[in-house]
Amino acid sequence: MNKCSLFFTLLMVVWGGSVRLFGQIRPENDTIVEEIDTTLFIPENNYSYRYPFIDYAHNFIEWNQCDAITPFFSALGNADNRKVRVLHIGDSHVQSDFYTGNLRNTLQEIFGYGGRGFVFPYKSAGTHSAYDYATYSSGLWNYSRNVSREIKYDIGIAGATIHTSDVNASFSIVFRRRYHSIRPDYTHLRIFCKTDSVSFGVNLTLGNEVVPIKIPVFNSPTNGYVDIVLPRASDTLSVSFYQTDSTQTRFECSGLLIESSQDNGVLYSSVGINGAGYRSVLRQSLFEEQLRLYRPDLVVVDVGANDFYPAGFNEKELTNHLTRIINIVRKVAPTGSILLTNSHDLWYRRRNVPFTKNFALFVRKMAEINHCAFYDYYHISGGPYALTTWKKTGLAQADRVHLTYKGYALKAEIMSNAMLTSYREYIENSPDVLISNNFTTDTVDFDENIADSVLQAIPAAQPKSIVSSVLPKNTVVYYVVKKRETITAIAGKFNIANSDIKQWNNLKDDKLFVGQKIRVIPPVVVDKKASNTYKNKGAVTKKTIFHKVKKGETLSHISAKYGVSVAQIKKLNRLKSDKINLGANLKIQ
């Protein structure tokens, strides 16, 4: 797919209501649900809802040198031909995977499904799992997390390691089927574990199968992992152990990686531990080794707040720790990109933490010094005291540190839009510098082709009528081009002319791309009674119509709304270019 056409590709995120973490229910069977092909209608919004405290105008990824982001964006442009690997390192906001999971879903809907990424048997490590899977444990287990007071075992990318000397111990990972996290081609499994002669053998059971897959870990090369090609994808992975010799005395695991069998799409791994910070990442002795094996195109460093929260900000120490992390990433992934981000506003025992602002400025400075990409989430999310407003709006929890599920969904939405906004700017203009303070491009120009973050799906079982009965008349509607569809076929579906589609989408010819998002405005409904009244009265006086430009609107938006061409609006208002000013009164007819 041409990378420029990716901006017209569907951005589909199903926030899907609240997530229940109370009670863990095993699925009755192991069936994987295939994705249902639907006709999608996308409202004319880039966000599900615009909150007044979010700085949408500056919601983009920044860089001081284009080379900081080129490796990742180039990889995205070639996602049809090679897997794009992302590692998102975080703390408690990431361990639950609420926002990173939604971010993963967004990117994979657009660029393809490369796998579920890193998962971990958190129950054996004494902590909670991610939102889309539950973990179970039996027998005797010891563990180390990167925030533990004493580190007993070597820790890798996942931030934790489990250890057992009990051959009767076991653990299982059960994906909640309603989230469809496991797809049919997710059949490549890598288990990061000690591989030596004293390790137990592993029994890997898929779903409800009786006969396990035997993995002789004790005979594997001592490279710290074993690779398994599964006979089928499964939403339940159960691990138990066996011995063939009395010298086999333990099993030690630092995580599992689930990938698709195809070398394309996005593999987005989120790894977070409650309370983790920069210093925690540096305590992961296997981090460098496993990062080299992962081969990331982008590493998102989304930690640091716990290094100063609640009452201390040592910039010298923060600089030392973050520099060491950046150097490790650059050493093992020299062709990848690094994205640094900061924290939203934080509170501690009813008092605002002022160091959060210091941290935001610190991360910006470190990104500039180290030639990393930067996302200013602190200011985008509202800046100082913002979490009070988030709490009142039902987006933050009472501690004004953690968000609600709705809040994490919003965080994923604004961050995915930031990525796509900057990606589009990179493709179209390749700016050497893209910084908020120096950014002169009118951000209104971005709105037309930034993919929408939330959409309404019309189930396939419903009649494939073009205009949904729940949509108001004359609502602007988008349609996503499917395989082998022509402009004539789509025009026929929507009872409109080919020329209408070409005009509303500024198309020079009839060529369409698979996945392209095009405007398909419903036909204007004529009021027959009013029409007859006009006829009876004789000549009809045509009323002059004006439109006041609102934030985010472009000429294309306005022309589609009134069913007129951009050229007509420009002619009536003597406009020499497509740029329009906020608040301007434009003559429509």
Side-chain angles (χ1 to χ4, degrees), residues 85-88 94-95 97 104 114-122 130 132-133 156-160 173 175 189-193 224-225 253-259 267-272 286-287 289-296:
R85 298 171 179 270
V86 180
L87 180 68
H88 192 130
V94 172
Q95 182 174 336
D97 200 39
R104 177 191 306 113
R116 171 56 179 80
F118 266 92
V119 296
F120 193 84
Y122 287 105
D132 64 331
Y133 65 91
I157 282 179
I173 297 174
F175 287 89
L189 175 67
R190 173 170 288 182
I191 303 176
F192 287 93
C193 61
Y225 66 90
C253 176
S254 57
L256 297 86
L257 179 63
I258 301 173
E259 296 191 41
L267 179 67
Y268 199 109
S269 291
S270 56
V271 288
L286 298 176
F287 178 76
E289 174 186 327
Q290 293 184 2
L291 189 66
R292 182 180 287 106
L293 294 169
Y294 188 75
R295 295 176 287 113

Side-chain angles (χ1 to χ4, degrees), residues 488-538:
T488 302
I490 296 171
K493 277 185 178 183
F494 287 82
N495 194 26
I496 53 180
N498 290 20
S499 57
D500 291 331
I501 294 179
K502 291 169 70 175
Q503 177 187 327
W504 295 333
N505 294 278
N506 295 320
L507 300 177
K508 296 179 181 179
D509 51 40
D510 290 352
K511 290 181 180 179
L512 297 175
F513 299 102
V514 175
Q516 184 175 347
K517 189 175 70 174
I518 59 173
R519 297 171 184 273
V520 282
I521 291 69
V524 176
V525 178
V526 179
D527 188 331
K528 292 183 178 179
K529 290 184 179 179
S531 178
N532 290 333
T533 302
Y534 287 136
K535 286 180 181 179
N536 292 335
K537 287 184 179 180

Side-chain angles (χ1 to χ4, degrees), residues 53-303:
F53 47 85
I54 301 296
D55 185 4
Y56 295 100
H58 296 95
N59 187 35
F60 47 86
I61 305 298
E62 304 178 38
W63 57 83
N64 283 276
Q65 288 185 334
C66 195
D67 289 347
I69 201 66
T70 294
F72 174 54
F73 283 166
S74 295
L76 280 183
N78 199 31
D80 282 347
N81 304 310
R82 54 151 292 194
K83 193 168 290 184
V84 182
R85 298 171 179 270
V86 180
L87 180 68
H88 192 130
I89 304 168
D91 46 27
S92 57
H93 302 289
V94 172
Q95 182 174 336
S96 61
D97 200 39
F98 287 140
Y99 106 82
T100 45
N102 280 319
L103 188 55
R104 177 191 306 113
N105 294 338
T106 300
L107 294 179
Q108 289 186 335
E109 283 289 343
I110 298 172
F111 299 103
Y113 296 85
R116 171 56 179 80
F118 266 92
V119 296
F120 193 84
Y122 287 105
K123 183 72 173 180
S124 301
T127 186
H128 65 82
S129 303
Y131 79 99
D132 64 331
Y133 65 91
T135 61
Y136 303 88
S137 179
S138 67
L140 301 175
W141 289 95
N142 293 311
Y143 61 85
S144 290
R145 297 199 298 265
N146 61 12
V147 294
S148 300
R149 180 170 296 181
E150 181 184 357
I151 303 292
K152 297 180 180 179
Y153 311 109
D154 293 325
I155 300 174
I157 282 179
T161 291
I162 57 172
H163 175 103
T164 185
S165 299
D166 179 6
V167 73
N168 295 312
S170 66
F171 69 80
S172 59
I173 297 174
V174 181
F175 287 89
R176 297 180 170 98
R177 290 189 297 156
R178 65 180 177 272
Y179 297 114
H180 307 297
S181 297
I182 301 300
R183 299 172 68 85
D185 65 339
Y186 287 8
T187 54
H188 281 201
L189 175 67
R190 173 170 288 182
I191 303 176
F192 287 93
C193 61
K194 286 281 180 72
T195 54
D196 52 30
S197 60
V198 299
S199 292
F200 295 145
V202 171
N203 290 316
L204 175 65
T205 304
L206 306 180
N208 295 325
E209 292 183 0
V210 177
V211 180
I213 301 169
K214 286 192 172 295
I215 307 169
V217 175
F218 43 78
N219 284 337
S220 300
T222 57
N223 51 15
Y225 66 90
V226 289
D227 284 329
I228 305 101
V229 178
L230 303 175
R232 63 182 180 85
S234 175
D235 57 14
T236 299
L237 302 173
S238 299
V239 171
S240 60
F241 310 105
Y242 68 93
Q243 289 173 301
T244 60
D245 191 285
S246 60
T247 60
Q248 297 161 6
T249 57
R250 56 108 168 102
F251 177 77
E252 193 168 304
C253 176
S254 57
L256 297 86
L257 179 63
I258 301 173
E259 296 191 41
S260 68
S261 58
Q262 306 299 315
D263 188 23
N264 53 36
V266 172
L267 179 67
Y268 199 109
S269 291
S270 56
V271 288
I273 295 292
N274 296 342
Y278 293 149
R279 62 168 69 91
S280 308
V281 177
L282 294 171
R283 299 177 81 196
Q284 299 170 199
S285 57
L286 298 176
F287 178 76
E288 181 176 329
E289 174 186 327
Q290 293 184 2
L291 189 66
R292 182 180 287 106
L293 294 169
Y294 188 75
R295 295 176 287 113
D297 296 290
L298 174 69
V299 175
V300 183
V301 182
D302 195 5
V303 287

